[in-house]
Amino acid sequence: MNFAASQSALDPAGVGADSIADLFWVMLFGGSLIWLIVVGLAVYAIVFPGQHDQKKTRMLVIGGGAVFPTLVLTALLAYGLAMLPELQRPAPDGSQVIEVTGVRWWWRVVYQTTDGNKVETANEIHLPVNEPIEFKLKSDDVIHAFWIPSLGGKIDMIPGRENRLKLVPNRIGVYRGVCAEYCGEAHTQMAFDVMVESREDYDEWLRQQKTPAVEMSGLAKRGQRVFESSGCGACHAIRGTSSDGVVGPDLTHFGSRRSIGASVMPNNPDNLTRWVTETHRIKPGVEMPTFEVLNDAELQSLVRYLGELK
């Protein structure tokens, strides 16, 4: 489910994606020319069977079947290779650095801030428009692949290795990123949302993400006690509370996120209730246990608590 987020390499919204889309159309044109020539020769041979002038036939076969395809493919190769230096060039010094780690089957996202601190979130990425971003990409378990089709190319995330990717989004909007390397049972449910916004909106979002969770009261406070007594804090961190787990996603500002379970479903109370009680039915293979033992009152308060973590 993409919730109206764009996920097409032919709908570019980034500098790298513009180049890749141009390459696609150029290759399509070149490939079409080769196809027309080769198929045209085959049709000619079928429509006009029998003896042909040997010299003319040799020119058509060698020229149309070998020389022309070689020239076109060489030109396409040169065109594509000429793009590589810019696509591979690191982001300039001082650019926003974002560390993304692929985990079966979700995304750990850590922002390096200008004051030397780090801010962790999960399963969604915010980016300022028209600014280069340096991604540092890793994997905790198996090979994943990081790909935001509308913003740029994909790159593998390999255990024990840190890969790098520069992206420059140039259009405000919501885009969908995916894991583009088969990684196991829930591979198709390992996606993330990318929000490209103005520098002012981005700074405000990042400032809000730096803050710890607010103090709760009423039903949400009871939900916090359910969260802690059920052992959720052993896997999840909520800054400003006693929950400091590092196994699962950081939930400090979970209520502000668009989706649940790495873009499996929109983030709303009904879906969150289903996620807590039917985890493995919704996303087979996920390592989070199902909390079917919670009674209705406990479940209602827990959902209220998580929803108010904004």
Side-chain angles (χ1 to χ4, degrees), residues 69-105:
T70 299
L71 291 175
V72 172
L73 292 174
T74 300
L76 291 176
L77 177 62
Y79 183 85
L81 290 176
M83 293 181 175
L84 287 180
E86 179 57 34
L87 292 176
Q88 294 291 321
R89 185 170 290 119
D93 291 341
S95 300
Q96 174 68 68
V97 176
I98 303 176
E99 301 171 5
V100 181
T101 304
V103 187
R104 291 182 302 181
W105 285 272

Side-chain angles (χ1 to χ4, degrees), residues 203-220:
D203 286 341
E204 175 59 25
W205 175 84
L206 192 57
R207 182 201 62 77
Q208 183 260 351
Q209 292 294 307
K210 293 179 182 178
T211 61
V214 298
E215 183 65 28
M216 301 291 180
S217 61
L219 184 61

Side-chain angles (χ1 to χ4, degrees), residues 105-229:
W105 285 272
W106 59 281
W107 308 86
R108 189 189 308 277
V109 184
V110 179
Y111 292 76
Q112 295 184 6
T113 61
T114 54
D115 57 10
N117 295 318
K118 294 184 177 183
V119 176
E120 182 173 333
T121 181
N123 296 327
E124 71 175 33
I125 297 174
H126 287 246
L127 302 175
V129 70
N130 293 323
E131 296 186 25
I133 308 297
E134 179 85 0
F135 284 95
K136 295 183 177 180
L137 306 169
K138 298 177 289 185
S139 171
D140 268 1
D141 34 58
V142 299
I143 297 177
H144 301 283
F146 181 85
W147 190 27
I148 311 170
S150 293
L151 300 188
K154 81 174 184 73
I155 189 167
D156 284 347
M157 309 167 83
I158 302 171
R161 177 186 175 93
E162 181 179 270
N163 286 337
R164 174 188 53 78
L165 177 67
K166 178 189 69 175
L167 294 179
V168 186
N170 57 17
R171 192 174 79 213
I172 290 174
V174 180
Y175 306 97
R176 180 177 168 90
V178 295
C179 176
E181 183 82 24
Y182 180 72
C183 56
E185 189 171 2
H187 164 69
T188 59
Q189 294 176 307
M190 186 175 172
F192 57 97
D193 293 322
V194 182
M195 276 63 69
V196 178
E197 51 207 4
S198 68
R199 165 51 75 170
E200 293 75 18
D201 289 343
Y202 173 77
D203 286 341
E204 175 59 25
W205 175 84
L206 192 57
R207 182 201 62 77
Q208 183 260 351
Q209 292 294 307
K210 293 179 182 178
T211 61
V214 298
E215 183 65 28
M216 301 291 180
S217 61
L219 184 61
K221 185 65 176 179
R222 293 198 292 274
Q224 180 178 353
R225 290 195 290 267
V226 172
F227 184 90
E228 294 171 351
S229 64

Side-chain angles (χ1 to χ4, degrees), residues 283-305:
K283 190 169 183 174
V286 69
E287 295 184 4
M288 174 178 161
T290 298
F291 288 89
E292 296 175 322
V293 296
L294 298 178
N295 61 44
D296 289 343
E298 291 172 328
L299 185 59
Q300 183 182 9
S301 63
L302 176 61
V303 169
R304 174 67 67 85
Y305 172 58

Side-chain angles (χ1 to χ4, degrees), residues 33-50:
L33 286 179
I34 294 174
W35 184 86
L36 286 172
I37 294 295
V38 174
V39 172
L41 289 173
V43 171
Y44 174 77
I46 294 171
V47 174
F48 300 100

